[in-house]
Short mmCIF file of all heavy atoms in Angstrom, two decimals:
data_model
loop_
_atom_site.label_atom_id
_atom_site.label_comp_id
_atom_site.label_asym_id
_atom_site.label_seq_id
_atom_site.Cartn_x
_atom_site.Cartn_y
_atom_site.Cartn_z
N ASP Y 26 119.07 124.18 134.63
CA ASP Y 26 120.44 123.96 134.18
C ASP Y 26 121.00 122.65 134.73
O ASP Y 26 122.01 122.16 134.27
CB ASP Y 26 121.33 125.13 134.62
CG ASP Y 26 121.86 125.87 133.41
OD1 ASP Y 26 121.35 125.62 132.31
OD2 ASP Y 26 122.78 126.69 133.58
N GLU Y 28 121.15 118.81 135.15
CA GLU Y 28 120.72 117.71 134.30
C GLU Y 28 119.69 116.82 134.97
O GLU Y 28 118.77 116.32 134.33
CB GLU Y 28 121.93 116.87 133.88
CG GLU Y 28 122.91 117.66 133.07
CD GLU Y 28 124.00 116.80 132.47
OE1 GLU Y 28 123.85 115.57 132.47
OE2 GLU Y 28 125.01 117.37 132.02
N TRP Y 119 123.91 105.75 85.71
CA TRP Y 119 123.78 106.99 84.95
C TRP Y 119 122.77 107.95 85.56
O TRP Y 119 122.98 109.13 85.61
CB TRP Y 119 123.38 106.67 83.51
CG TRP Y 119 124.55 106.29 82.68
CD1 TRP Y 119 125.73 106.97 82.59
CD2 TRP Y 119 124.69 105.14 81.84
NE1 TRP Y 119 126.58 106.31 81.74
CE2 TRP Y 119 125.97 105.18 81.27
CE3 TRP Y 119 123.85 104.08 81.51
CZ2 TRP Y 119 126.44 104.22 80.39
CZ3 TRP Y 119 124.31 103.13 80.63
CH2 TRP Y 119 125.60 103.20 80.08
N ARG Y 122 119.99 109.37 90.99
CA ARG Y 122 118.89 109.93 91.79
C ARG Y 122 117.53 109.47 91.29
O ARG Y 122 116.65 109.10 92.06
CB ARG Y 122 118.97 111.45 91.77
CG ARG Y 122 119.52 112.05 93.04
CD ARG Y 122 119.56 113.56 92.92
NE ARG Y 122 118.24 114.15 93.10
CZ ARG Y 122 117.73 114.45 94.29
NH1 ARG Y 122 118.41 114.23 95.38
NH2 ARG Y 122 116.53 114.98 94.39
N GLY Y 126 114.97 107.26 93.30
CA GLY Y 126 113.64 107.84 93.53
C GLY Y 126 112.55 106.87 93.11
O GLY Y 126 111.58 106.65 93.83
N LEU Y 129 112.28 103.82 95.48
CA LEU Y 129 111.78 104.12 96.82
C LEU Y 129 110.29 104.48 96.82
O LEU Y 129 109.63 104.45 97.86
CB LEU Y 129 112.61 105.27 97.41
CG LEU Y 129 112.56 105.50 98.91
CD1 LEU Y 129 112.92 104.24 99.66
CD2 LEU Y 129 113.52 106.62 99.29
N VAL Y 133 106.69 105.35 99.85
CA VAL Y 133 106.27 106.70 100.26
C VAL Y 133 104.77 106.91 100.12
O VAL Y 133 104.16 107.62 100.91
CB VAL Y 133 107.02 107.76 99.41
CG1 VAL Y 133 106.80 109.13 99.98
CG2 VAL Y 133 108.48 107.45 99.34
N TRP Y 145 92.77 96.97 91.62
CA TRP Y 145 92.29 97.18 90.24
C TRP Y 145 93.13 96.36 89.26
O TRP Y 145 92.62 95.77 88.32
CB TRP Y 145 92.31 98.66 89.93
CG TRP Y 145 92.12 99.04 88.48
CD1 TRP Y 145 92.97 99.78 87.72
CD2 TRP Y 145 91.00 98.75 87.63
NE1 TRP Y 145 92.47 99.95 86.47
CE2 TRP Y 145 91.25 99.33 86.37
CE3 TRP Y 145 89.81 98.04 87.81
CZ2 TRP Y 145 90.38 99.23 85.30
CZ3 TRP Y 145 88.93 97.94 86.73
CH2 TRP Y 145 89.21 98.53 85.50
N TRP Y 188 106.28 94.29 97.20
CA TRP Y 188 106.38 95.53 96.43
C TRP Y 188 106.55 96.73 97.36
O TRP Y 188 107.39 97.59 97.15
CB TRP Y 188 105.10 95.69 95.60
CG TRP Y 188 104.98 96.97 94.86
CD1 TRP Y 188 105.58 97.29 93.67
CD2 TRP Y 188 104.21 98.12 95.23
NE1 TRP Y 188 105.23 98.55 93.30
CE2 TRP Y 188 104.38 99.09 94.23
CE3 TRP Y 188 103.37 98.41 96.31
CZ2 TRP Y 188 103.76 100.33 94.29
CZ3 TRP Y 188 102.76 99.64 96.36
CH2 TRP Y 188 102.95 100.58 95.36
N SER Y 249 102.38 91.83 111.38
CA SER Y 249 101.21 92.58 111.85
C SER Y 249 100.54 93.36 110.73
O SER Y 249 99.81 94.30 110.98
CB SER Y 249 101.63 93.53 112.97
OG SER Y 249 102.57 94.43 112.46
N SER Y 290 94.67 89.73 118.73
CA SER Y 290 95.75 90.71 118.60
C SER Y 290 96.98 90.30 119.40
O SER Y 290 98.11 90.45 118.96
CB SER Y 290 95.32 92.08 119.12
OG SER Y 290 94.44 92.69 118.26
N ARG K 9 128.15 98.35 82.78
CA ARG K 9 127.20 99.36 83.22
C ARG K 9 125.84 99.18 82.56
O ARG K 9 124.80 99.30 83.19
CB ARG K 9 127.75 100.75 82.90
CG ARG K 9 127.26 101.78 83.89
CD ARG K 9 127.77 103.13 83.52
NE ARG K 9 128.96 103.47 84.30
CZ ARG K 9 129.36 104.73 84.47
NH1 ARG K 9 128.70 105.72 83.91
NH2 ARG K 9 130.42 105.00 85.17
N PHE K 22 108.55 97.13 88.17
CA PHE K 22 107.75 96.61 89.29
C PHE K 22 107.37 97.74 90.25
O PHE K 22 106.23 97.83 90.71
CB PHE K 22 108.59 95.54 90.02
CG PHE K 22 107.90 94.87 91.18
CD1 PHE K 22 106.62 94.35 91.06
CD2 PHE K 22 108.56 94.71 92.39
CE1 PHE K 22 106.01 93.69 92.12
CE2 PHE K 22 107.96 94.06 93.45
CZ PHE K 22 106.68 93.56 93.32
N THR K 33 94.36 104.85 84.48
CA THR K 33 92.96 104.51 84.72
C THR K 33 92.14 105.74 85.06
O THR K 33 91.01 105.89 84.59
CB THR K 33 92.87 103.49 85.87
OG1 THR K 33 93.69 102.38 85.55
CG2 THR K 33 91.45 103.04 86.10
N LYS K 102 122.44 113.41 131.83
CA LYS K 102 122.54 112.27 132.73
C LYS K 102 121.50 112.46 133.81
O LYS K 102 121.51 113.48 134.51
CB LYS K 102 123.93 112.22 133.36
CG LYS K 102 125.01 111.80 132.41
CD LYS K 102 126.30 111.55 133.17
CE LYS K 102 127.47 111.63 132.23
NZ LYS K 102 127.85 113.03 131.91
N SER K 122 98.68 97.83 114.74
CA SER K 122 97.59 96.84 114.68
C SER K 122 97.48 96.02 115.95
O SER K 122 96.54 95.26 116.11
CB SER K 122 97.77 95.93 113.47
OG SER K 122 99.08 95.44 113.39
N LEU K 123 98.43 96.18 116.88
CA LEU K 123 98.33 95.47 118.14
C LEU K 123 97.40 96.19 119.12
O LEU K 123 96.78 95.58 119.97
CB LEU K 123 99.72 95.31 118.76
CG LEU K 123 99.86 94.54 120.07
CD1 LEU K 123 99.58 93.06 119.85
CD2 LEU K 123 101.26 94.69 120.65
N ARG K 182 121.71 125.98 129.70
CA ARG K 182 121.62 124.77 128.87
C ARG K 182 120.54 124.91 127.81
O ARG K 182 120.72 124.49 126.67
CB ARG K 182 121.33 123.57 129.77
CG ARG K 182 121.64 122.27 129.09
CD ARG K 182 121.57 121.13 130.04
NE ARG K 182 122.89 120.69 130.48
CZ ARG K 182 123.72 119.98 129.73
NH1 ARG K 182 123.42 119.73 128.48
NH2 ARG K 182 124.87 119.57 130.19
N ASN K 211 99.95 108.68 105.74
CA ASN K 211 99.71 107.33 105.22
C ASN K 211 98.98 106.43 106.21
O ASN K 211 98.60 105.32 105.86
CB ASN K 211 101.04 106.66 104.86
CG ASN K 211 101.73 107.38 103.73
OD1 ASN K 211 101.21 108.36 103.21
ND2 ASN K 211 102.88 106.89 103.34
N ILE K 258 102.41 113.97 99.24
CA ILE K 258 103.57 113.18 99.62
C ILE K 258 104.59 113.15 98.49
O ILE K 258 105.80 113.29 98.71
CB ILE K 258 103.13 111.75 99.99
CG1 ILE K 258 102.30 111.75 101.26
CG2 ILE K 258 104.31 110.82 100.14
CD1 ILE K 258 103.07 112.15 102.49
N TYR K 262 108.37 114.39 98.50
CA TYR K 262 109.33 113.35 98.17
C TYR K 262 110.32 113.81 97.10
O TYR K 262 111.52 113.62 97.22
CB TYR K 262 108.53 112.14 97.71
CG TYR K 262 109.33 110.98 97.25
CD1 TYR K 262 110.13 110.29 98.14
CD2 TYR K 262 109.27 110.56 95.93
CE1 TYR K 262 110.85 109.19 97.71
CE2 TYR K 262 109.99 109.47 95.50
CZ TYR K 262 110.78 108.80 96.40
OH TYR K 262 111.49 107.73 95.97
N ASP K 267 116.73 112.95 99.34
CA ASP K 267 117.92 112.55 100.09
C ASP K 267 117.62 112.41 101.58
O ASP K 267 118.19 111.57 102.26
CB ASP K 267 119.04 113.56 99.87
CG ASP K 267 119.42 113.61 98.41
OD1 ASP K 267 119.36 112.55 97.77
OD2 ASP K 267 119.72 114.70 97.90
#
Side-chain angles (χ1 to χ4, degrees):
Chain Y
D26 244 13
E28 297 189 14
W119 278 310
R122 256 180 77 85
L129 197 55
V133 191
W145 168 237
W188 174 80
S249 61
S290 287
Chain K
R9 209 182 263 201
F22 182 49
T33 305
K102 288 190 201 78
S122 48
L123 182 69
R182 198 170 259 285
N211 296 0
I258 292 294
Y262 177 65
D267 299 325

